[in-house]
Amino acid sequence: MTRVEHSVETLLELGREAAQLAGRLLRDGRPSGLGVAATKSSPVDVVTEMDIAAEKLITDFLIDFRPLDGYLGEEGGTTAEGVSGVRWVIDPLDGTVNYLYGLPSWAVSIGIEMYGERVAGVVEVPMRGETYFAHRGRGAFVTGGVHGRKDVPLRCRADAPLAEALVATGFNYVAEVRAHQAEVARDLIPQVRDIRRGGSAALDLCDVAAGRLDGYFERGLHPWDLSAGDIIAREAGALTGGRPGRPADGELTVAATPGVFEPLQALLDELGAWHD
């Protein structure tokens, strides 16, 4: 493939606009009941009509501007390799169960890759009125909410000992995997300040970036779960990875302040957080 120069700033601006459009659709169109379109990995892993509608809105919007790009969406509405070297990695509704029940912790996540490397990402959080975004090498920012219309730089918390760290996690929807994850959480709790379970990987990664959490870990994430949040956390000064020496992936994703990252990663590896 011939490498073509692309403006990351332009791509990020398109991503922000697409995420905001989808966020408004989801916020204003949430059904009053618990209508479920289908289940995925298990009876409790759901996809709603709104997930599908939001993904279609995002991809239709982006394809109008970027017809030669690649697209990877969680709900499979648009999966294309592309020929431009740019790929959009889309989770139209991260935190679907929260959304179904009217809990505010859900988000629209769009990661941007160029020639196989993450270069930017945006996470739209409609119920907070916040937009998180990052451009590789240029920092991470949040706008909206209490910050108003200013782009406010994000910075992870100052380092604390692992014993004083507030750590978030998530649980798989397959019963056997959830049971093992509960055992890991049980063994981890005495060694940290406390554990939180927010229900949205993208939002947990942004909360590490914003200094609301000292760390986050989860097994079983897909590329669309972590694409945008990973670069936002890293650009805010956090470290991210998987098992020791490996990148964040479906086996294990860890994000934390620099002082918490290595001891948390090592402990999770020892506890077997990476296997079922």
Side-chain angles (χ1 to χ4, degrees):
M1 178 190 299
T2 302
R3 295 179 71 93
V4 178
E5 293 300 319
H6 301 281
S7 166
V8 178
E9 292 88 347
T10 299
L11 296 173
L12 184 55
E13 194 59 38
L14 284 172
R16 289 179 63 178
E17 188 170 352
Q20 288 165 1
L21 288 170
R24 285 198 290 271
L25 172 74
L26 291 164
R27 182 195 63 204
D28 298 341
R30 194 183 80 84
S32 57
L34 297 182
V36 176
T39 58
K40 294 189 278 190
S41 63
S42 79
V44 294
D45 184 9
V46 298
V47 54
T48 71
E49 294 174 0
M50 296 304 292
D51 295 67
I52 297 166
E55 183 170 306
K56 186 175 187 305
L57 184 154
I58 292 167
T59 54
D60 285 353
F61 174 83
L62 292 173
I63 286 171
D64 276 348
F65 292 93
R66 308 283 310 184
L68 302 180
D69 291 352
Y71 293 87
L72 176 64
E74 178 181 13
E75 308 312 335
T78 303
T79 302
E81 289 298 320
V83 295
S84 69
V86 172
R87 184 171 78 154
W88 303 82
V89 184
I90 301 161
D91 191 338
L93 176 49
D94 189 50
T96 300
V97 173
N98 286 346
Y99 179 77
L100 275 173
Y101 280 82
L103 294 169
S105 296
W106 54 270
V108 179
S109 173
I110 302 177
I112 305 168
E113 299 173 352
M114 191 178 295
Y115 301 106
E117 296 183 4
R118 259 178 223 135
V119 295
V122 55
V123 174
E124 177 76 8
V125 191
M127 302 311 291
R128 288 186 185 175
E130 294 175 335
T131 305
Y132 297 84
F133 59 97
H135 176 171
R136 187 177 65 186
R138 299 193 182 183
F141 301 86
V142 61
T143 186
V146 298
H147 311 289
R149 296 188 177 184
K150 290 197 309 178
D151 293 346
V152 177
L154 290 169
R155 204 70 199 160
C156 64
R157 281 172 57 83
D159 285 330
L162 182 62
E164 298 175 11
L166 182 63
V167 177
T169 191
F171 294 98
N172 198 279
Y173 288 107
V174 176
E176 295 80 4
V177 180
R178 288 160 71 90
H180 176 67
Q181 290 174 317
E183 293 174 4
V184 172
R186 178 198 63 198
D187 293 338
L188 180 64
I189 281 178
Q191 305 192 60
V192 298
R193 184 188 296 276
D194 207 348
I195 288 181
R196 295 289 181 269
R197 197 280 198 254
S200 166
L203 194 45
D204 284 339
L205 287 162
C206 289
D207 280 343
V208 171
R212 295 176 177 137
L213 294 168
D214 296 293
Y216 161 74
F217 73 96
E218 189 163 351
R219 166 160 172 58
L221 295 186
H222 299 282
W224 47 79
D225 295 312
L226 62 89
S227 181
D230 179 87
I231 193 169
I232 291 168
R234 291 184 70 85
E235 287 295 320
L239 299 180
T240 69
R243 296 188 66 189
R246 301 185 189 179
D249 59 18
E251 195 169 52
L252 184 65
T253 294
V254 184
T257 62
V260 169
F261 179 79
E262 285 191 9
L264 177 61
Q265 184 188 47
L267 179 56
L268 291 169
D269 195 57
E270 178 185 332
L271 294 175
W274 46 272
H275 67 72
D276 298 343

